Amino acid sequence: MADGRTPHSYADAGVDIDAGEKTVGRIKSAVRSTFNANVLTDLGAFGGFYALDTARHRQPVLVASTDGVGTKLSVASLARRFGSVGGDLVNHCTNDILCCGAEPLFFLDYYATGKLDPESAAATIIGMADACRDNGCALIGGETAEMPGMYRDGDFDLAGTIVGSVERDEIVTGKTIQAGDLLIGLPSTGLHTNGYSLARKLLLTSEGGAFGLDETPTDLGGASVADALLAVHRPYLAAVRAVWSAVGRETVR
């Protein structure tokens, strides 16, 4: 530089542009596999475009929800298993809008870390894409942020926004629930994405608990602690759709 100062680059600041490009290269096909005829943009646009199919709805109401995976991410980092938490995020958000009677249309994700590792980032986002495809939801965009100094080595954060739709007269609010209604209970696949701060403290030796990730306590039926803690959050959309088909949406409160 003319004034004698040493020139600096993004790499000098800890931001690896090449890692970002490698990550995009790894996830492109998985993300595109979630697209349908309503998706109007490819990866790389500044916004995701989704055309609402108005012929499918009489009075469509859009329902949106944003959430994260919580400290389950710490378990994923310790176990170096990332695909399941991507699925957790999508399924969690799908279930949230399902409580309102809405079915998913599209999804957006946010992945942030101190130092981007293309392999683990891609595994996480591919897990999201798999869950989006299973739920009939298009993954139309997202943000991958590398922020040195904001996260410890190996740490990352994950959040997502889902948008779905429901007919105005089929919105579920719970206000019509009354004595005599049939309550259907569905089994979970574990802790899903709640209570992990306590679970880590009680179970993991790294947090002062009793077990290592690879140990197989008898109460877990042969599964390891990692298997149990990283079991994918179950999506309830298919089960609820079966109820709607059997008894009609108007009877579901």
Side-chain angles (χ1 to χ4, degrees), residues 67-70 73 85-86 89 109-112 124 128 156-160:
D67 218 319
V69 182
L73 297 180
V85 289
L89 181 64
D109 73 90
Y110 176 77
Y111 181 101
T124 304
M128 289 184 219
F156 70 105
D157 200 8
L158 195 61

Side-chain angles (χ1 to χ4, degrees), residues 104-139:
L105 296 173
F106 60 85
F107 194 82
L108 301 160
D109 73 90
Y110 176 77
Y111 181 101
T113 186
K115 182 175 177 56
L116 184 61
D117 172 33
E119 183 176 353
S120 57
T124 304
I125 298 168
I126 290 170
M128 289 184 219
D130 291 343
C132 280
R133 194 168 53 250
D134 291 343
N135 287 302
C137 180
L139 178 55

